[in-house]
Amino acid sequence: MSADEAAELRQRNRALAEEVERLRAALVATGAATDPVTGALTGTPDAAADETAFGRAFWRAPARIAASLPDPDPARLDDSEFRHLADHLPILCWLARSDGYLFWYNRRWLDYCGTTQEAMAGWGWQTVHDPAELPRVTAVWAASIATGEPFEMVFPLRGADGVFRPFLTRIIPLRDASGRVVRWFGVNAEIGAQAQAEAALRGSEARLRRAQEAGGVGVFSVDIASDKVHATPNFFRLYGLPEVDRLPVDAVTGLVSPEDLGLIARQADRAAGRAARDVAYRIRRADTGAERWIARRGEFERDGEGRAVRFVGAVRDITDHKEAERRAEANERELRLVTDALPVLIAFIGRDYVYRFANAAYEDWFFRPASEIVGRDVRDLLTPANAEVRRASMARALAGETVLFETPWPHADGRHRDAEIRYLPRRDADGAVDGFHVFVQDITDRKRVEAALVSEVTQRTRERDRLWETTNDLMGTAGLDGFLKSVNPAWARMLGWTEAELLGRPFAHLIDPDDHAEAAATVGRLAAGETVTGFVDRILTRDGDRRIVMWTAVPEPGAGLFYVVGRDLTEQRRAEEQLLQAQKMEAIGQLTGGIAHDFNNLLTGIIGSLDLMQTRIRQGRSDAVERYARAATASANRAAALTHRLLAFARRQPLAPQPTAANPLITGMEDLLRRTLGERVQLALITAPDLWLTLCDPHQLENAVLNLAINARDAMPEGGRLVIETGNTHLDAVDARLQAGAKAGPYVSVSVSDTGTGMSPEVAARAFDPFFTTKPLGQGTGLGLSMIYGFAQQSEGHVRIDSGLGRGTTVTLHLPRHHGLASPESAASGLGALHRAARGDTVLVVEDEPVVRDLIVEVLTDLGYAALQAADARAGLDRLRAPGRIDLLISDVGLPGGLSGREMVEAARPHRPDLKVLFITGYAENATFGTGALEPGTRMITKPFSVEALAARVRAMIAGLD
């Protein structure tokens, strides 16, 4: 609804109210002229009724309107003057007895409801009320009847068209001379349009308020007389003030920064109607103390005599805008600083050919400061001849084209100077060119350098040609079609082929046939645009020899060509082989010394213990035999550990990988580690929660941790701290490239850190080398870290050293994560009672070493097995092909007779498909055994082994437990 329509509706309401007042006056006048005995209307008017707020639904208040009337006389309603007055009112009205019985309605009521006097008499009015509202209306009407109080309320009435419309209803009592209510007079005024107007007005105000808040605008008005502010909620939020109905102006101006107080009008100025219309100032928020910028716009409202009565306006926070302005000014200053510092003339020229910007370089090029350039027409600055020359170029720039040209531009003293001029169009937001930037650069030195470069290139070309002719490296070009395109003389000197022969046939004919596949793959890489370096193959000479050549090849994109340079490595490789052989011999000598020292110590313990055992047996004494046996066994086990180191280094150590939880394995070693390290070394175990499983040989992991701990102890002769820590880690592709042999992926890490002497970079670089040791000659084999390295490699992991002199050493094992479940506890612990053979169990032993074979057969016989034996694979295969019961085959892997143990088993499978096999070996020749990928029903045990371990494994396999 528009403002004009709302004003018209208000005017209609005022007319309606005036009409009601005239009706009241008429009723009073009618009563004064009527005889009270006959029942005519009479009474004295009360004070004028107070008008209540229009449209305030469900609200009622005493109207304080009453008239004294005699008892009602329905016959008197035929009075023509009252009928005429009531029937022509533009509102609905009616009369009721004192008990609320309605006995008369005006014509307007009957026409609106489409009913009759008879239908509406009494309580018939209830039929045109909204059933949902009727209980409320009835309750209010009953209360007024009981108390004699007037009421006012809004409720809907149904029209003749069946539509409910809202009506404002006022009901007043008419009293007799004694004050008794004798009648009720009611009027109903339709307020649908006014209700819609008020709703629309409230909606408009709400939308305006939301728009103000969304835009960060606060609206206020200052009453000049009281000097107090009335404002919207957002006004208070902007200043950080609590929201109140009225606020002294000083509470707001007190927040203004002292530097900006002069911008704010004082009370006397406001009273005189003087204040700036627009102003911006800083405040300190009342709640946080933060400094904010406020923009205020306002106007005075004046009375009829022109005096200021109110100052109204709006405020908004412009802190971000001010900050943007500050940054823009800083950027402009920085741009000016940068452009003035550049040795390049920079300017901007608009479409009107007027300079809008010019940097300090103009003083050097035009011999006047930039301040005299801006605002001038470019054609005034140039000479007429130059302006004519540049006109076409500037027109092209204004048409959107980038223009670049060179021209002489002498110095002020007449010295020659070459200038490069660039016109760069600038486009506005709509894409239209609004001018162009000018960049002028002194290229005199560049021209001089270019001339010098031409001379140098000529010289270099001659040098390259001399190099092409004289070098011993093979240089040339080749095509992806498989033919050489050019070759330097070194080809003929090295290979003996003429240039025509080299270019006339595919270059594959020059390559050793065994290298063809790799050479073809390299050409494929070149065809894909990849540069190839370090590719080595063998080239055939004319007399049939082979030369080892390392190539670098660079493709020429889009040309189908690649450039090649080859270096003859034949003599270098021969020298390297000789050096390697010498190093091998030196390493073998060092290994021999270390192993001899260790084995002499071990053999001394074994032989000495056995000698003492024999002596005690001859003496008939048995009290110390067991102690000597334990000593001999310990020395033998140490000898076995030494061979394991050798095998791990050679990567021939047979592993038994299984899902392994590193945390319990390492914590279970704590007592052993503490005894080994001694009291001077403090041990700390840090195990990561939720540590992943890894797939490895748990015994080799124990050995690796123990060896690292012993190395750390030896590096701390005065004592120190040793930390063993586990964790989950993930190596990405970048990390993997930094670790030799590493692959990206998830790993379980086991780190052993000490506070010892550390290693120099040179020692750390060789720590994993076989036979390398810093210990005195004969006191170590140099295989400790080599064994750990071999174990990590066999387990598809890797190992890393971080060390430095004086800062200790950290060795970290990275073992691949295993996504399966942990292995159940080994069943071996329950086999002790099952070592004895069941009746009839038969085992075939195939072993070429008589001592080992006899030992195994004797153990099996003692355990109750029927033991068969063979000395080689042929004899063993004959036994397997012959009829008879064989529950288990125990065979060495390496056997004489032309067949290995595995080949013997494969040959016997057709005759005994379900044969169970236990291989015994000193190391695993076949990598399949080392990874644990044995065939079903096949297991392996490594030498040396204990009698108990052999018996447990045999019984478990026969019983189907392993």
Side-chain angles (χ1 to χ4, degrees):
M1 179 178 292
S2 66
D4 293 339
E5 291 173 333
E8 182 182 356
L9 182 59
R10 296 189 188 96
Q11 184 176 358
R12 287 176 54 196
N13 288 337
R14 285 195 295 271
L16 178 62
E18 292 171 358
E19 191 71 26
V20 171
E21 289 303 322
R22 285 196 296 272
L23 177 60
R24 292 171 179 164
L27 289 173
V28 172
T30 301
T34 305
D35 188 349
V37 177
T38 64
L41 294 172
T42 183
T44 303
D46 201 352
D50 291 339
E51 292 298 329
T52 60
F54 181 78
R56 193 172 299 166
F58 315 124
W59 180 85
R60 70 186 166 85
R64 297 195 299 279
I65 299 175
S68 299
L69 294 175
D71 291 338
D73 184 0
R76 298 290 296 175
L77 289 176
D78 292 333
D79 179 84
S80 59
E81 184 176 0
F82 180 77
R83 180 187 296 273
H84 177 77
L85 177 64
D87 284 343
H88 287 82
L89 286 175
I91 58 176
L92 284 62
C93 61
W94 43 269
L95 287 170
R97 297 189 315 219
S98 61
D99 60 358
Y101 184 92
L102 272 70
F103 58 85
W104 177 84
Y105 301 85
N106 73 338
R107 182 181 303 168
R108 181 72 172 172
W109 174 284
L110 300 175
D111 291 344
Y112 171 77
C113 294
T115 185
T116 63
Q117 292 280 5
E118 292 76 15
M120 290 293 100
W123 307 100
W125 56 270
Q126 296 183 359
T127 61
V128 297
H129 273 258
D130 184 351
E133 297 289 336
L134 186 58
R136 180 176 63 85
V137 175
T138 302
V140 174
W141 181 213
S144 291
I145 294 172
T147 61
E149 295 292 332
F151 75 86
E152 175 184 284
M153 69 184 301
V154 174
F155 51 74
L157 293 176
R158 185 180 64 240
D161 57 0
V163 177
F164 284 97
R165 296 177 179 85
F167 280 80
L168 173 64
T169 297
R170 292 192 177 100
I171 300 177
I172 60 174
L174 302 177
R175 302 177 185 275
D176 59 13
S178 64
R180 182 173 59 88
V181 175
V182 293
R183 290 182 188 173
W184 293 91
F185 177 64
V187 294
N188 305 87
E190 184 182 353
I191 61 170
Q194 183 167 348
Q196 293 176 1
E198 289 189 343
L201 181 60
R202 288 192 300 272
S204 297
E205 291 175 347
R207 287 192 296 273
L208 177 60
R209 183 169 60 256
R210 288 195 297 271
Q212 291 172 349
E213 293 179 354
V217 176
V219 179
F220 69 93
S221 66
V222 178
D223 183 74
I224 302 299
S226 64
D227 203 34
K228 291 190 175 180
V229 179
H230 176 70
T232 61
N234 202 51
F235 176 92
F236 294 100
R237 284 196 289 271
L238 289 176
Y239 288 87
L241 290 166
E243 185 177 345
V244 295
D245 186 56
R246 291 288 188 274
L247 182 71
V249 174
D250 290 345
V252 178
T253 58
L255 302 176
V256 178
S257 297
E259 298 89 344
D260 297 341
L261 276 175
L263 303 173
I264 306 300
R266 293 170 295 182
Q267 183 177 6
D269 295 328
R270 290 192 294 273
R274 296 189 303 269
R277 184 173 183 270
D278 291 289
V279 67
Y281 51 83
R282 289 162 293 177
I283 67 166
R284 290 286 180 182
R285 285 179 59 96
D287 51 357
T288 64
E291 183 179 85
R292 308 296 293 179
W293 274 94
I294 300 294
R296 187 267 292 154
R297 168 173 288 188
E299 297 282 357
F300 282 102
E301 290 184 0
R302 302 178 186 272
D303 59 14
E305 299 179 3
R307 290 190 298 268
V309 296
R310 190 175 294 103
F311 185 72
V312 298
V315 293
R316 61 189 178 92
D317 190 317
I318 60 169
T319 306
D320 292 341
H321 176 70
K322 283 290 186 179
E323 179 62 21
E325 285 183 346
R326 186 193 64 76
R327 288 197 299 268
E329 292 173 357
N331 290 340
E332 185 175 353
R333 289 194 300 271
E334 185 174 357
L335 175 63
R336 167 63 66 178
L337 181 64
V338 171
T339 55
D340 285 348
L342 291 175
V344 179
L345 184 147
I346 302 174
F348 177 75
I349 300 173
R351 294 196 66 87
D352 55 0
Y353 293 96
V354 174
Y355 278 97
R356 306 300 183 195
F357 175 84
N359 72 335
Y362 265 82
E363 189 164 355
D364 175 55
W365 291 82
F366 284 94
F367 325 124
R368 63 189 69 192
S371 58
E372 298 181 11
I373 303 297
V374 176
R376 296 190 59 177
D377 192 300
V378 65
R379 292 164 293 195
D380 295 338
L381 195 63
L382 299 172
T383 63
N386 283 333
E388 185 63 27
V389 171
R390 307 281 176 81
R391 179 188 302 173
S393 297
M394 289 188 287
R396 288 164 57 196
L398 291 174
E401 180 183 350
T402 298
V403 180
L404 178 66
F405 60 94
E406 298 177 5
T407 185
W409 196 316
H411 286 280
D413 57 7
R415 287 182 295 112
H416 175 77
R417 174 167 56 181
D418 291 310
E420 179 187 80
I421 302 176
R422 184 187 302 269
Y423 294 157
L424 185 65
R426 189 182 78 176
R427 300 182 184 274
D428 59 20
D430 297 328
V433 177
D434 61 359
F436 59 93
H437 295 281
V438 180
F439 301 92
V440 181
Q441 185 174 4
D442 187 341
I443 60 171
T444 308
D445 292 338
R446 190 180 78 188
K447 286 279 192 180
R448 187 165 51 249
V449 169
E450 286 177 354
L453 283 176
V454 170
S455 176
E456 184 177 353
V457 167
T458 303
Q459 178 65 22
R460 292 287 179 85
T461 300
R462 289 195 294 268
E463 292 176 358
R464 187 205 64 181
D465 291 342
R466 286 196 296 270
L467 178 64
W468 174 271
E469 295 289 336
T470 59
T471 182
N472 289 325
D473 289 340
L474 304 180
M475 304 176 68
T477 57
L480 296 176
D481 59 0
F483 285 84
L484 292 166
K485 305 301 181 184
S486 65
V487 293
N488 71 333
W491 291 75
R493 291 195 299 269
M494 179 189 298
L495 304 178
W497 305 102
T498 66
E499 181 176 353
E501 290 172 329
L502 291 167
L503 302 182
R505 56 179 179 170
F507 55 69
H509 291 179
L510 301 173
I511 301 173
D512 190 305
D514 291 340
D515 296 337
H516 278 184
E518 190 172 357
T522 301
V523 173
R525 292 165 58 191
L526 291 167
E530 181 183 348
T531 296
V532 176
T533 60
F535 169 64
V536 178
D537 64 358
R538 289 164 292 180
I539 303 299
L540 303 176
T541 65
R542 189 182 189 91
D543 57 10
D545 289 340
R546 286 165 172 75
R547 308 295 295 183
I548 301 173
V549 180
M550 181 176 68
W551 299 96
T552 296
V554 180
E556 179 69 25
L561 295 173
F562 54 92
Y563 300 92
V564 295
V565 177
R567 174 155 296 179
D568 188 355
L569 301 181
T570 308
E571 300 304 325
Q572 178 182 334
R573 289 294 176 89
R574 290 172 182 169
E576 288 175 353
E577 290 176 0
Q578 292 173 358
L579 177 61
L580 180 60
Q581 181 65 25
Q583 290 175 337
K584 285 182 179 179
M585 295 305 295
E586 180 181 357
I588 290 173
Q590 183 176 358
L591 173 64
T592 302
I595 291 178
H597 174 274
D598 287 353
F599 265 107
N600 283 336
N601 288 338
L602 298 173
L603 290 174
T604 299
I606 296 172
I607 294 172
S609 297
L610 293 176
D611 286 343
L612 288 173
M613 288 174 62
Q614 291 175 343
T615 301
R616 293 295 182 268
I617 291 172
R618 285 195 301 270
Q619 296 172 348
R621 296 170 54 188
S622 61
D623 53 337
V625 170
E626 185 177 353
R627 177 161 57 88
Y628 298 143
R630 285 198 302 268
T633 301
S635 295
N637 287 336
R638 289 175 60 196
L642 181 58
T643 60
H644 285 181
R645 291 190 185 185
L646 292 169
L647 292 173
F649 160 68
R651 300 188 192 179
R652 295 172 178 264
Q653 171 63 40
L655 301 182
Q658 63 187 55
T660 301
N663 278 350
L665 182 146
I666 292 173
T667 55
M669 297 175 62
E670 183 173 3
D671 291 340
L672 173 62
L673 291 170
R674 293 191 185 279
R675 289 195 302 270
T676 302
L677 297 174
E679 296 181 354
R680 289 191 174 188
V681 177
Q682 298 177 4
L683 174 64
L685 302 182
I686 303 175
T687 55
D690 302 322
L691 189 69
W692 298 330
L693 297 178
T694 182
L695 188 66
C696 71
D697 187 325
H699 302 297
Q700 292 301 320
L701 177 58
E702 286 181 342
N703 287 338
V705 172
L706 182 59
N707 282 331
L708 291 175
I710 292 173
N711 284 349
R713 180 200 63 190
D714 294 342
M716 299 183 290
E718 302 301 324
R721 178 176 171 83
L722 176 67
V723 178
I724 302 177
E725 184 174 3
T726 63
N728 298 325
T729 186
H730 193 286
L731 265 64
D732 57 22
V734 175
D735 294 332
R737 285 197 295 270
L738 298 177
Q739 304 293 329
K743 297 179 181 179
Y747 290 89
V748 173
S749 66
V750 179
S751 298
V752 180
S753 304
D754 65 61
T755 58
T757 56
M759 306 180 195
S760 66
E762 296 77 16
V763 172
R766 299 187 60 193
F768 293 132
D769 289 355
F771 320 125
F772 176 75
T773 178
T774 58
K775 296 178 181 179
L777 182 64
Q779 293 188 15
T781 62
L783 293 177
L785 289 177
S786 296
M787 178 273 292
I788 295 171
Y789 179 82
F791 160 65
Q793 293 292 311
Q794 281 187 279
S795 302
E796 299 184 1
H798 63 280
V799 62
R800 180 171 57 88
I801 290 182
D802 180 18
S803 184
L805 286 175
R807 63 179 181 87
T809 300
T810 297
V811 180
T812 303
L813 273 169
H814 291 282
L815 300 173
R817 178 184 181 181
H818 178 66
H819 290 278
L821 299 176
S823 298
E825 292 295 329
S826 174
S829 60
L831 294 176
L834 300 177
H835 289 176
R836 301 294 301 176
R839 185 173 182 178
D841 288 342
T842 303
V843 179
L844 171 61
V845 180
V846 182
E847 169 61 60
D848 60 310
E849 179 61 41
V851 175
V852 176
R853 184 174 66 250
D854 293 343
L855 175 65
I856 296 173
V857 169
E858 185 173 352
V859 169
L860 293 174
T861 302
D862 287 346
L863 294 174
Y865 294 99
L868 307 177
Q869 54 182 304
D872 55 40
R874 292 294 179 186
L877 183 59
D878 291 339
R879 285 278 193 174
L880 291 170
R881 287 175 174 173
R885 176 178 177 178
I886 297 178
D887 297 285
L888 176 67
L889 167 65
I890 299 177
S891 173
D892 197 350
V893 175
L895 292 172
L899 292 176
S900 68
R902 186 176 186 185
E903 291 170 337
M904 175 187 67
V905 171
E906 291 175 353
R909 283 295 182 194
H911 304 276
R912 296 181 183 271
D914 299 325
L915 178 66
K916 297 177 182 179
V917 180
L918 175 60
F919 284 113
I920 55 176
T921 182
Y923 59 84
E925 286 284 355
N926 192 312
T928 303
F929 295 163
T931 61
L934 297 173
E935 298 176 357
T938 302
R939 293 293 182 269
M940 184 171 61
I941 188 170
T942 59
K943 302 174 184 177
F945 48 80
S946 66
V947 171
E948 290 79 3
L950 175 65
R953 181 58 61 88
V954 170
R955 185 64 251 161
M957 291 188 68
I958 293 178
L961 300 176
D962 189 3

